Amino acid sequence: MMVFTRAYKPGNDPLLFLNGHRIQSQPTFKFLGVWFDSKLIWKPHINYVANRCSRLKNLFAIMAQTKPGPTAKTLIMLYKSLVRSVTDYGSISYGSASKSNLRKIDVIGRTILRTILGTRQSTPIEILYAETDTEPLHSRTSWLTRKYLVHLSYKPRNPMYAPAKHLVSATYEWKPRSTPGIIREARHLESKGITLFPPQSEVPSEYKHPPPSRPPPGRTAWFPLSKKTALTCRAKTVTTFAALNQGIPEYTIRVYTDGSKSMDTDPTTTACAVYSPTLNFENAWTLTAGTSVFSAELITIAQALKHIYNLDDHPLEVMIFSDSSSAIKTIMSATQTNNEAVSDARETIASLKSSGTATSIVWIPSHTGIEGNEKADRLAATECTNQNGNKIANNLSAEEIISLTKANWRDDLLSTLRQCQKKCIQVRTRVGVIKWHQHNNRKISTCLHRLRAGHHYLNSFRHRIDQESDPSCRHGAFS
């Protein structure tokens, strides 16, 4: 039994008996790998994590000093697997501890990183994190907490959904030392315009959570050539598609869909387009900022199906040509999804089926000269560049919100690292390992890292060289 209190003079423990024997309270207790203490200052667990990481220092020292040992890239991978996995576990809980306690873990982590890179003790810590694509514990905890909150917001069946929602929505004023970590991160997400715990339907949709035994809602077909083969021989691709197109009945409505994303604008623009030569119809839409290309492909398929469903005459068959195999597989599978476009497409296919229209989704390779696909691609690309006013206010999925959150977090991390005035940090435009900064020879890699950081052993004997002397030959130039 544990009694949690931060009172300076806690009262007597409650009297609890089991079979006539009193249950004694314990100051600490380990549960699911995390050490809890009565005041929730997390010092026992932090010491436990620090001791586990300290035992790994010798392992990295031996591997780094071995002549035929692993490269720096391999050692960084081992650090993330062995050390960071230990510090990550439970960090959402103990990450709200005091800075002095958390610093114990950071110091040990930086010691291992210095061993991996072979840096001097005077090297700034910002360079260590930038060169190894790692981050301090408090920054890592912030990212993990934000990711957990966004994931939890879209899982109402999770046992922690209701307690977390109540905690985030409460108006209670927490003391600075007692504020839970998820409260700080939830306020940060809300300041960025991200809505946590959006309204959820009390009755789950059968299209959003289909039973595993449900058959596919429609038929699928795949182009006989692979993407690589189709790109290599475009003439064969066009001829093959023309032959397949002739075998399709004339009453079948053919629709081409495509999604596109422009990285030239800030924020990035995502658009989708639909083109139907049978109906002489084409249209393009601009999607919500942050929408992925995968969601754009799903949305454009759903828009094409809705257009067919709203026709006055119900056709016997509709065939949609898409160049996204992942979107086709997701729609036709029985997997649960939080993407609204998937459930919309499944529901529309079922509605078309009930009205007597058979739906087929065909995969075709992109950028291979197929006229309908090229037309849809041009429409989507043009919409990304010049928005014509057609917009779809689609809701972002949890994965897309997490992607935006991570991009924002990495920008904040880069701003923190760039507080170091070293040139190797100031020239960086993003965080992450730069491939050409690494070398398979560990000795060369260590030497290059020290030269980039400006902390090396050249200064110890540079005074022996007369840098002001004339470099030309004293005996004159050779003819």
Side-chain angles (χ1 to χ4, degrees), residues 41-42 46 94-104 177:
I41 59 177
W42 302 105
I46 291 174
Y94 77 84
S96 58
S98 63
K99 295 181 180 179
S100 58
N101 284 330
L102 295 177
R103 193 177 296 117
K104 300 176 184 178
R177 288 291 302 273

Side-chain angles (χ1 to χ4, degrees), residues 3-225:
V3 180
F4 295 100
T5 178
R6 285 192 174 183
Y8 181 72
K9 293 182 178 180
N12 297 327
D13 295 339
L15 297 177
L16 297 179
F17 295 88
L18 181 63
N19 293 332
H21 300 278
R22 183 183 177 184
I23 302 176
Q24 300 292 336
S25 63
Q26 301 294 328
T28 59
F29 185 77
K30 187 178 182 181
F31 180 69
L32 295 178
V34 178
W35 282 95
F36 290 84
D37 59 279
S38 59
K39 292 189 176 183
L40 289 180
I41 59 177
W42 302 105
K43 190 173 182 179
H45 183 73
I46 291 174
N47 292 335
Y48 168 73
V49 173
N51 291 333
R52 288 192 60 182
C53 295
S54 296
R55 292 197 293 267
L56 294 172
K57 285 197 302 184
N58 296 332
L59 173 64
F60 282 92
I62 294 173
M63 290 190 295
Q65 295 175 3
T66 305
K67 193 170 184 179
T71 62
K73 180 179 178 181
T74 304
L75 290 175
I76 293 173
M77 188 184 304
L78 289 174
Y79 170 84
K80 294 179 179 179
S81 302
L82 300 178
V83 179
R84 199 167 70 174
S85 61
V86 175
T87 59
D88 282 353
Y89 184 75
S91 61
I92 297 178
S93 299
Y94 77 84
S96 58
S98 63
K99 295 181 180 179
S100 58
N101 284 330
L102 295 177
R103 193 177 296 117
K104 300 176 184 178
I105 301 176
D106 277 333
V107 169
I108 297 174
R110 290 196 293 265
T111 303
I112 298 175
L113 293 179
R114 293 184 192 276
T115 303
I116 293 174
L117 297 176
T119 60
R120 301 188 66 180
Q121 290 294 328
S122 59
T123 305
I125 60 177
E126 291 84 0
I127 298 180
L128 296 178
Y129 293 131
E131 291 281 330
T132 57
D133 190 21
T134 54
E135 55 281 322
L137 179 59
H138 66 87
S139 181
R140 178 74 177 175
T141 302
S142 297
W143 156 239
L144 293 176
T145 306
R146 296 171 193 176
K147 182 180 178 181
Y148 172 75
L149 280 173
V150 175
H151 266 306
L152 186 63
S153 298
Y154 290 85
K155 295 183 178 180
R157 297 184 179 182
N158 192 299
M160 283 300 300
Y161 179 87
K165 183 179 180 180
H166 175 73
L167 191 64
V168 170
S169 59
T171 58
Y172 179 77
E173 292 294 333
W174 297 88
K175 295 181 180 180
R177 288 291 302 273
S178 303
T179 305
I182 64 172
I183 296 296
R184 289 195 296 265
E185 302 306 329
R187 292 172 180 172
H188 176 82
L189 292 175
E190 291 174 355
S191 66
K192 297 298 181 179
I194 297 175
T195 303
L196 295 175
F197 302 99
Q200 300 284 340
S201 176
E202 297 182 359
V203 180
S205 171
E206 62 175 322
Y207 304 106
K208 188 176 181 180
H209 303 278
S213 59
R214 193 204 70 173
R219 295 182 299 176
T220 57
W222 307 89
F223 196 73
L225 300 179

Side-chain angles (χ1 to χ4, degrees), residues 287-313:
L287 305 178
T288 303
T291 304
S292 63
V293 177
F294 173 69
S295 292
E297 297 284 357
L298 292 171
I299 292 172
T300 187
I301 293 176
Q303 289 295 321
L305 292 170
K306 289 180 181 179
H307 181 76
I308 301 299
Y309 182 74
N310 293 330
L311 292 177
D312 295 334
D313 299 329

Side-chain angles (χ1 to χ4, degrees), residues 350-363:
S351 300
L352 286 171
K353 185 178 180 181
S354 62
S355 62
T357 302
T359 304
S360 300
I361 305 181
V362 183
W363 175 82

